[in-house]
Amino acid sequence: VVATSAQTTRRTTPRAVLRRVPALVVYALVALAILWVLVLAENTPAKPAISDPGGFAVTLLDGLTNAGLLFVVASGFTLIFGLMRTVNMAHGSLFLLAGFTAIELQQRMVGRTRSIAPEDVSIVSWIVPLLAAAALAAGLGVLLQQVFLRWNQGQELRQALITIAISVVLADQMLRQFGGLAKTMVWPGAVSHFVEFSGERYATSRLFMLGVAVVVGVALWLWLTRTRMGMVIRAGVDDEPMVRALGINVAVVFGVTFFVGAFLAGVGGVMGASLAGAATGSDGVWLLNSLVVVIVGGLGSIKGAVAGSVLFGLVGAFSPAYLPSEYTFYSVIFSFVLLALVLALRPYGLLGRPA
Amino acid sequence: MSARRLLNPTTVGVLVVFAVLLALPSVASEFFIYVVLTEALILGLTASTIVFLAAYGGMISLAQLLLAGVAGFMFGNAALSDGARGLNLGWSPWVAVLFALGVTTAVAFLLGALGSRTTGIYFLMLTLVYGVIGFTVFAQVVTISGPGGVTSIVAPEPFNDRLTLYYAAVWLSVLAYVAFRAIGRTNFGLALQGVRDDPVRMSSLGYNVALHRTLAFALGGFVAGLGGLLNVWWRGQIDPASISIGPTLILLIIAVIGGISYFEGAWLGALVYVLLDTYTADIPLIENIGLTPDRFNTVIGLIVLLIMVLSPEGLVGILERLRRGRGIAKPSEHSIEPPTTAHSPVQTGAGQEP
């Protein structure tokens, strides 16, 4: 009711005009940022896009490939929240656990623990650890859900605190098991090349990662829109009591959703371990990344996860490249600026709805 | 307020604890006073702002440690004149104190305004994002800190004496406790609790919901800033790692162990945490079950897990229940969950006062 009356009186009262100010400021800032990157950028690591299209393309690809990884991780987080209203604060821990596990498996499959070159790694010795580690994360996720989250469904904050406690324990146990040093998963030799375009070299492994993310996204979309289970999940997101009343075994659906969400965290963890390595602390970083993506995109919405990943990925790639060199270390602030701009316009994220 | 009402068990308990804290330095060991208790009081003071926001505002904030850190960093930047890092403004220490508290409150006001339209679990996530981004800002922006942090900070007279600092922590803790309890009975506090229970109704009654949340967050930030100042005076330095995601979660865990709806719980949780942190290694045979001091986080995580599974009201909630002699099944009015019947027309005014 409030929204409608505001809309009808939008252009008449001064107060309604005031309400438009944040939106106008945001649009102006976005336009300014685009103009800066395209033409104005001065004294920055990458030149303006019109004079240096290659550098622009590399930055854009960096942003999009990062967005692919962000989407894989955050879609699992948002899937679980959308259906069960459970905020899984241990999502980053599942991510890191899968990364460490896949690295161990790959080392066993290759038969060496150090100085593994991409040539030693076949596609199989990348895919099999990926699937096994993701399955481990998924299994652990279902275990957590069944033991700790099943009986307190609906108590969001209690569940968040329970998963925080679990993430603290898991982080400590992973430190014990895998040590504090960063380890890296090695990309298969078949994708470890460079492509060249307009004078720039670009790592194929990043494009491969984007490909994996797109495959995951399409599979997720097909699963949610074309299968019975997917329809039940979407119906559950909209109206869970009604789904229950229709005689569907919601407990099973919850378990499956948690499995898939944790599996996605695991897939993301292996991809992240291949891209940047796995280390103590990555769990917190990726929990944060998932949170930013879903807060920007809107909690519980897969489309929102796409939008949030792309925006966050692009901001993360463009802000260090197009800030004047002496201010590069301020680039982290721009993820906050993104969050602030989106929240100023839409408190529940771009595609989110109030709970 | 009559004398009879003032003489309830809670008031007496607080007075007794206050007296014990003031008398302890003449009895207990130096280590216990200047390391264990001082840290517990500072952590408790900071954690009490989480309780304040949760109990009155229904906002579980993970940004309180960041705000304490902002105060610490700002004091270090303003008070030092020739440190290795930071702005080295070289101001008089008391100006630096005002500056630090002012900046902290302003930051809290802005962050609160940004998050004032979100509640519950969204607010928790948003403030965690604040906390981690804030940590990254301090870790990366070398003009104000950089990864090494600000070191060799000296507390202003008379707080450079550790006994005075201990007493300051006691006094500030008691003041914060009394003030937070009193705020619950002011118009602002009552309106805030109304906003917690039913924002839609409060809004239609003409209350500015977002403003109440923002002001509460700013006030919480101010008190967290006091905790942050005591913390840098006590440690003599502050680095970004001390406000990273791990310690941020630990501060929430402290509030949860004690009981997130009880102001006493903040200090009780802090004391339990510091005692565990200090003395776990001394428990006989503890290493035989695989709990070395290195695995302290596993212990603390399992304790929180246990508390959240058994009783979300924390230790004070458990004590309260035992005191009333009621069964475990009885749901308490102090719940971390907002009332599910938030929009039902009939609702008793379940405040926080027992």
Side-chain angles (χ1 to χ4, degrees):
Chain A
V1 180
V2 177
T4 353
S5 67
Q7 261 157 15
T8 50
T9 57
R10 176 167 279 177
R11 279 174 197 82
T12 49
T13 67
R15 214 183 150 154
V17 174
L18 257 180
R19 206 171 286 147
R20 297 277 295 157
V21 168
L24 293 175
V25 169
V26 170
Y27 296 145
L29 285 176
V30 170
L32 187 68
I34 292 173
L35 197 65
W36 172 266
V37 168
L38 288 181
V39 197
L40 296 172
E42 213 176 287
N43 194 17
T44 55
K47 303 280 171 299
I50 44 164
S51 55
D52 179 17
F56 175 77
V58 165
T59 315
L60 187 67
L61 277 176
D62 276 347
L64 289 178
T65 46
N66 283 343
L69 179 53
L70 285 167
F71 168 75
V72 171
V73 183
S75 61
F77 186 87
T78 207
L79 187 70
I80 291 173
F81 181 84
L83 182 65
M84 289 174 259
R85 324 303 292 175
T86 297
V87 170
N88 180 17
M89 304 291 264
H91 201 68
S93 311
L94 297 173
F95 172 97
L96 184 57
L97 178 68
F100 276 134
T101 313
I103 291 169
E104 293 261 313
L105 280 175
Q106 192 184 45
Q107 288 175 351
R108 296 222 177 133
M109 289 181 75
V110 176
R112 258 183 295 167
T113 55
R114 60 185 68 185
S115 63
I116 300 175
E119 298 79 55
D120 306 334
V121 180
S122 62
I123 287 277
V124 175
S125 52
W126 190 79
I127 295 278
V128 171
L130 171 103
L131 293 176
L136 176 76
L140 185 63
V142 171
L143 189 72
L144 294 184
Q145 192 254 340
Q146 291 293 319
V147 176
F148 292 111
L149 304 173
R150 197 178 159 175
W151 45 271
N152 50 23
Q153 196 63 50
Q155 303 177 35
E156 296 174 1
L157 295 171
R158 190 180 191 180
Q159 292 193 327
L161 289 165
I162 284 178
T163 50
I164 285 177
I166 290 170
S167 74
V168 170
V169 173
L170 279 179
D172 202 40
Q173 289 302 315
M174 282 191 280
L175 183 63
R176 185 178 69 88
Q177 184 67 35
F178 301 105
L181 292 177
K183 300 176 176 188
T184 314
M185 177 106 177
V186 184
W187 290 109
V191 301
S192 294
H193 302 291
F194 288 92
V195 285
E196 296 204 14
F197 58 91
S198 60
E200 301 280 347
R201 278 154 55 85
Y202 202 76
T204 353
S205 55
R206 275 184 160 269
L207 299 175
F208 173 69
M209 187 177 78
L210 182 60
V212 174
V214 170
V215 169
V216 167
V218 170
L220 194 62
W221 179 75
L222 287 176
W223 181 60
L224 283 174
T225 55
R226 295 285 184 275
T227 65
R228 187 179 148 78
M229 179 63 86
M231 287 180 204
V232 170
I233 288 175
R234 282 187 300 136
V237 170
D238 284 339
D239 193 344
E240 190 242 303
M242 192 63 192
V243 172
R244 206 182 275 273
L246 286 171
I248 289 162
N249 188 344
V250 176
V252 172
V253 179
F254 281 8
V256 170
T257 309
F258 222 97
F259 184 90
V260 174
F263 189 86
L264 288 170
V267 172
V270 180
M271 285 159 64
S274 312
L275 181 72
T280 313
S282 310
D283 49 351
V285 171
W286 279 91
L287 173 62
L288 172 85
N289 286 343
S290 309
L291 289 178
V292 173
V293 166
V294 298
I295 290 175
V296 167
L299 256 172
S301 153
I302 297 285
K303 280 182 203 153
V306 177
S309 311
V310 170
L311 271 178
F312 189 39
L314 288 180
V315 166
F318 274 90
S319 53
Y322 285 92
L323 268 181
S325 306
E326 65 266 34
Y327 297 114
T328 303
F329 53 79
Y330 284 111
S331 59
V332 54
I333 294 174
F334 280 78
S335 49
F336 190 76
V337 171
L338 169 71
L339 198 71
L341 292 185
V342 170
L343 283 180
L345 287 190
R346 300 187 58 97
Y348 295 97
L350 291 174
L351 296 163
R353 297 172 297 188
Chain B
M1 194 181 292
S2 67
R4 181 177 290 251
R5 228 195 117 187
L6 270 176
L7 251 163
N8 59 44
T10 317
T11 321
V12 173
V14 168
L15 284 176
V16 168
V17 171
F18 187 31
V20 168
L21 284 174
L22 287 182
L24 260 183
S26 50
V27 198
S29 75
E30 288 199 349
F31 175 77
F32 187 74
I33 296 296
Y34 300 131
V35 179
V36 176
L37 266 190
T38 308
E39 183 176 15
L41 284 166
I42 294 171
L43 277 175
L45 179 63
T46 316
S48 72
T49 62
I50 296 183
V51 176
F52 165 67
L53 293 173
Y56 291 159
M59 306 184 276
I60 305 226
S61 165
L62 278 164
Q64 300 314 106
L65 190 66
L66 167 69
L67 294 169
V70 168
F73 277 114
M74 287 307 123
F75 178 81
N77 273 301
L80 290 184
S81 51
D82 52 348
R85 286 173 289 267
L87 295 169
N88 292 322
L89 295 173
W91 294 348
S92 124
W94 291 108
V95 178
V97 167
L98 289 181
F99 172 71
L101 290 175
V103 170
T104 310
T105 314
V107 168
F109 185 85
L110 286 178
L111 294 183
L114 196 58
S116 63
R117 289 193 286 174
T118 57
T119 49
I121 201 75
Y122 293 87
F123 192 80
L124 180 91
M125 288 189 278
L126 184 64
T127 49
L128 178 59
V129 172
Y130 288 166
V132 181
I133 293 182
F135 153 73
T136 326
V137 167
F138 282 113
Q140 292 195 2
V141 180
V142 286
T143 20
I144 50 172
S145 155
V150 183
T151 48
S152 48
I153 298 171
V154 182
E157 296 274 343
F159 297 107
N160 47 7
D161 172 50
R162 54 187 187 167
L163 184 63
T164 320
L165 191 62
Y166 166 76
Y167 281 128
V170 173
W171 276 100
L172 275 180
S173 292
V174 171
L175 268 180
Y177 177 82
V178 173
F180 280 148
R181 295 288 294 242
I183 284 172
R185 287 184 218 108
T186 60
N187 284 344
F188 172 73
L190 289 170
L192 190 61
Q193 292 171 63
V195 165
R196 171 199 66 197
D197 290 339
D198 195 341
V200 176
R201 189 185 295 175
M202 290 304 281
S203 182
S204 51
L205 285 172
Y207 287 91
N208 189 335
V209 168
L211 185 66
H212 275 83
R213 289 192 183 131
T214 307
L215 287 178
F217 198 75
L219 179 63
F222 173 78
V223 178
L226 291 176
L229 281 179
L230 287 181
N231 183 50
V232 288
W233 293 346
W234 181 63
R235 290 182 194 275
Q237 56 117 11
I238 181 163
D239 56 18
S242 68
I243 57 165
S244 63
I245 188 167
T248 296
L249 293 180
I250 290 290
L251 193 71
L252 177 66
I253 280 172
I254 283 172
V256 168
I257 291 179
I260 201 157
S261 322
Y262 301 88
F263 288 108
E264 310 86 284
W267 285 275
L268 182 66
L271 184 64
V272 169
Y273 172 80
V274 177
L275 286 178
L276 280 173
D277 194 6
T278 317
Y279 296 111
T280 305
D282 299 344
I283 302 174
L285 299 179
I286 189 112
E287 307 217 344
N288 294 8
I289 52 169
L291 291 178
T292 58
D294 298 345
R295 297 281 75 80
F296 173 66
N297 274 343
T298 301
V299 178
I300 205 82
L302 289 176
I303 289 174
V304 177
L305 194 57
L306 195 69
I307 287 179
M308 289 317 292
V309 167
L310 291 180
S311 152
E313 287 96 48
L315 289 177
V316 179
I318 293 172
L319 291 178
E320 191 99 318
R321 230 186 256 156
L322 290 177
R323 207 184 67 189
R324 290 193 204 142
R326 289 184 197 167
I328 287 211
K330 193 238 166 209
S332 163
E333 78 249 40
H334 297 289
S335 175
I336 60 164
E337 295 301 324
T340 45
T341 54
H343 298 284
S344 70
V346 187
Q347 191 177 357
T348 54
Q352 287 302 307
E353 296 303 315

